[in-house]
Amino acid sequence: MQVLLHLMSAVALLVWGTHIVRTGVLRVYGARLRHWLSHYLDRRLLAFAAGTGVTALVQSSNATALLVSGFVADGLMPLATGLAILLGADLGTALMARVLTLDLSWLSPLLLIIGVPLFLSRKQSKAGQLARVALGLGLMLLALTLIIEAMAPVTEARGVRVLFESLTGDLLLDAVVGALFAMLTYSSLAAVLLTATLSAAGVLSLPVALCLVMGATVGSGVLAFLNSGFYHTAGRRVALGSLLFKLTGLILMLPFVDPTARWLATLSFAPQDLVIGFYLAYNGSRCLIMLSLTQPMARLCRLLLPDPATPEPRQGPRHLDPQALDQPALALANASREVLAMGDLVETMLEALGNSLRHETTKIEAPPAQLDDQLDTLHTAIKLYLAKLPREQLTRSELRRWGLVLEMSISLEQGGDLIERMMVKVRDRKTARRRSFSSAGLRELLELHQRLTTNLRLGLSVFLNDDDDSIGRLLEEKRRFQTRQRQLAHAHLERLRHQVVQSLETSSLHLDLLGDMKRLNSLFCAATLKPVERERPAGESRF
């Protein structure tokens, strides 16, 4: 039992090390990698090389698949190009498997000794994140050593040998086991490394090991397809195409596993090197051969996953018609409709914030980060759309509307960012610590929250109608909100003076939220009032 626990802990350490490397690289170079991959790659070899390089850095073809699926879903990349990148990603995984199985026992302690103190002392810096990558690599190398040591007594157990020998009867079953293991560990790289290590320990025969690594490749494709479920059809197509490429390679190679294993056994290499060499050769040849089939595969994926009969909900804009750009009034109306869509998203986030204040959970139907991503997408699309309008050809009223649309979209985007940060504060400083606001404090926060919702709707009404009555009401509500916010801050300090325990525990969070709500209110009101102030001559009141 103790031996099994040691083996399981070593496998967990290997998976964790892979995760640390992936997250560390993405935190430091994530934006550059996204820019690199999202750049239009019109040549298949260039796209293939990009996928290989990015995957070798992040050590996860699944991470690359998620990025590419998102780009294809957003229309930033053709489907065939995305498939070429994912073929390169498979080769990148195989190359990293080869590197990590070299004799690097001297490197693991060096990486750990350097990585731990540097990461702990400079967590938020670039150097600290690179130390995180070094720490992850050190853990992966250490885990491989621990797996070899843990497998030594296991190989002597007759029952274990019988269990693994039972896999040799059905090559397809062996491949399915490899796919399941890659899915359980969420890493085909970890599955391949473990298979090579078990083969070196004599636990797995060579034909079984070959089937397991091919199955692990398919398992990573299944994972990518399952993870693409939150994209619309275009994003799922690229994951489906990658999975079909992997299944095709497995089916074509299975009949030749036994003769290949017999030929490999004649070579004077260690079993671990034979498994990794086969994995590299298999992935390399499969990907290069299928690179010429990306266009036919793209057409097949469109047949298998046709566009739905009814439009799917999507993050991107729906009303920014490029054909309307030569008619400024119509183009500005289209942009205004997208701003109203942003307002709906912000109101949904506000509702989620209210729920998190009332309850002990921040769970909502759509995560705040996902809603904020939709806001960012709409804001970017609106900016680019407005930039295409020739401002010198706009009338004075159209120019004013142009500025109002731009400023309102900026305010709503900033408001969404602020609400997301407020949700994180509530989660980390109240919900996670099992703390609660005092009954009076909660009523006050919810009162301001309701005023925020009202002012958001009023601000959108002013944005849409631009009538004097609504503007006057918005100005008055802005002043009332600021006055009430100061009163509630003083009321909270009074509760502190009376030593209300719940107020003492949540005081910092309470005051932070009051300040954040004040900034939110300013964002909701300022965008619609600034153009009014600019338009008004000096010394003249609109009312």
Side-chain angles (χ1 to χ4, degrees):
M1 184 63 182
Q2 188 176 8
V3 172
L4 180 60
L5 288 176
H6 286 168
L7 178 60
M8 293 175 62
S9 64
V11 173
L13 186 62
L14 176 63
V15 176
W16 179 244
T18 305
H19 171 76
I20 289 177
V21 173
R22 178 172 67 251
T23 54
V25 171
L26 289 176
R27 288 178 184 179
V28 178
Y29 299 110
R32 294 182 183 178
L33 295 179
R34 289 176 68 88
H35 175 73
W36 187 16
L37 284 180
S38 63
H39 186 69
Y40 186 78
L41 303 172
D42 56 349
R43 288 181 293 177
R44 281 178 295 193
L45 285 177
L46 184 59
F48 182 84
T52 302
V54 170
T55 304
L57 280 175
V58 302
Q59 298 196 22
S60 173
S61 58
N62 291 324
T64 306
L66 284 176
L67 290 174
V68 173
S69 295
F71 293 144
V72 174
D74 292 337
L76 300 176
M77 179 184 294
L79 177 56
T81 300
L83 292 174
I85 291 177
L86 292 191
L87 287 173
D90 293 337
L91 180 59
T93 301
L95 289 173
M96 287 310 303
R98 171 68 276 184
V99 171
L100 292 174
T101 50
L102 296 175
D103 185 12
L104 300 174
S105 57
W106 58 273
L107 186 58
S108 175
L110 182 62
L111 291 174
L112 292 174
I113 291 172
I114 296 175
V116 170
L118 186 57
F119 174 68
L120 292 178
S121 61
R122 305 182 65 181
K123 287 184 180 179
Q124 304 305 320
S125 66
K126 181 177 179 180
Q129 292 304 317
L130 291 177
R132 177 190 179 94
V133 175
L135 180 60
L137 287 172
L139 291 177
M140 291 178 68
L141 295 173
L142 176 62
L144 292 173
T145 302
L146 293 177
I147 289 173
I148 294 175
E149 294 178 356
M151 287 306 302
V154 173
T155 57
E156 301 173 0
R158 177 60 184 169
V160 173
R161 287 188 173 275
V162 171
L163 175 63
F164 282 104
E165 287 171 0
S166 65
L167 292 175
T168 60
D170 191 330
L171 297 180
L172 184 59
L173 177 62
D174 298 344
V176 171
V177 172
L180 290 175
F181 187 73
M183 295 173 66
L184 289 174
T185 59
Y186 205 78
S187 171
S188 59
L189 178 60
V192 170
L193 291 176
L194 180 60
T195 300
T197 304
L198 295 178
S199 179
V203 176
L204 295 176
S205 64
L206 190 55
V208 172
L210 301 187
C211 290
L212 288 177
V213 297
M214 289 192 299
T217 301
V218 175
S220 68
V222 174
L223 272 177
F225 183 70
L226 294 176
N227 288 332
S228 68
F230 54 86
Y231 296 115
H232 59 74
T233 304
R236 292 196 296 270
R237 285 174 184 150
V238 66
L240 174 63
S242 176
L243 175 59
L244 292 177
F245 273 142
K246 293 173 180 179
L247 284 172
T248 302
L250 174 66
I251 293 172
L252 292 177
M253 187 62 198
L254 273 181
F256 304 98
V257 168
D258 285 331
T260 301
R262 287 194 295 269
W263 175 74
L264 289 174
T266 62
L267 302 179
S268 57
F269 292 100
Q272 177 175 322
D273 293 332
L274 292 176
V275 172
I276 296 298
F278 167 80
Y279 181 62
L280 180 58
Y282 166 72
N283 261 352
S285 58
R286 176 183 65 85
C287 294
L288 288 173
I289 291 173
M290 294 181 177
L291 186 59
S292 61
L293 303 176
T294 53
Q295 289 290 356
M297 180 59 74
R299 289 193 291 270
L300 175 61
C301 291
R302 292 189 184 97
L303 289 175
L304 296 176
L305 285 178
D307 292 322
T310 57
E312 296 180 332
R314 57 193 178 103
Q315 293 186 0
R318 299 180 179 181
H319 309 296
L320 302 182
D321 182 9
Q323 304 299 323
L325 288 172
D326 57 351
Q327 304 177 54
L330 180 57
L332 291 172
N334 290 340
S336 297
R337 295 175 70 184
E338 295 296 347
V339 171
L340 293 177
M342 292 182 68
D344 291 338
L345 289 173
V346 172
E347 186 170 348
T348 302
M349 296 181 73
L350 270 180
E351 181 181 354
L353 175 61
N355 292 335
S356 69
L357 295 175
R358 294 184 188 93
H359 308 301
E360 296 302 319
T361 177
T362 58
K363 183 179 180 181
I364 57 174
E365 292 183 1
Q370 180 180 334
L371 294 174
D372 189 56
D373 288 343
Q374 294 183 41
L375 274 178
D376 293 341
T377 300
L378 289 178
H379 172 57
T380 301
I382 291 171
K383 285 191 302 183
L384 296 176
Y385 190 72
L386 292 177
K388 295 176 182 178
L389 279 174
R391 297 183 62 186
E392 64 278 0
Q393 299 179 14
L394 301 181
T395 65
R396 183 182 178 186
S397 61
E398 289 172 344
L399 193 59
R400 179 182 179 278
R401 188 64 183 174
W402 185 93
L404 180 59
V405 171
L406 179 60
E407 291 185 4
M408 193 65 181
S409 68
I410 292 173
S411 293
L412 291 174
E413 191 273 334
Q414 292 176 346
D417 290 341
L418 183 53
I419 294 173
E420 183 181 7
R421 292 195 295 270
M422 293 169 70
M423 294 282 287
V424 172
K425 290 179 184 179
V426 174
R427 181 195 65 197
D428 294 344
R429 295 159 62 180
K430 181 181 83 75
T431 307
R433 299 181 183 182
R434 296 295 186 267
R435 293 177 177 177
S436 301
F437 297 112
S438 65
S439 57
L442 179 58
R443 284 197 304 272
E444 294 168 359
L445 288 173
L446 292 178
E447 177 191 341
L448 274 193
H449 175 270
Q450 183 57 48
R451 288 175 179 263
L452 269 179
T453 304
T454 300
N455 287 354
L456 171 62
R457 293 171 180 170
L458 186 54
L460 292 172
S461 176
V462 172
F463 168 77
L464 185 62
N465 302 315
D466 196 19
D467 61 288
D468 288 352
D469 289 341
S470 296
I471 292 173
R473 285 179 55 203
L474 185 59
L475 284 168
E476 181 61 26
E477 287 299 326
K478 180 180 180 182
R479 288 191 290 265
R480 288 180 179 177
F481 187 96
Q482 292 172 342
T483 301
R484 187 58 177 156
Q485 187 266 345
R486 288 193 296 268
Q487 293 173 349
L488 297 184
H490 296 161
H492 176 74
L493 294 177
E494 185 66 18
R495 287 194 295 275
L496 294 183
R497 188 174 72 84
H498 287 89
Q499 299 292 303
V500 178
V501 175
Q502 291 172 315
S503 296
L504 290 171
E505 288 181 340
T506 60
S507 178
S508 176
L509 173 61
H510 190 106
L511 293 176
D512 280 355
L513 291 176
L514 289 179
D516 290 338
M517 289 183 180
K518 180 180 178 181
R519 285 188 285 274
L520 269 179
N521 186 65
S522 297
L523 286 171
F524 296 160
C525 299
T528 52
L529 296 178
K530 282 180 181 178
V532 174
E533 298 298 331
R534 282 198 305 269
E535 181 185 63
R536 186 183 310 158
E540 178 183 330
S541 174
R542 181 167 179 170
F543 306 102

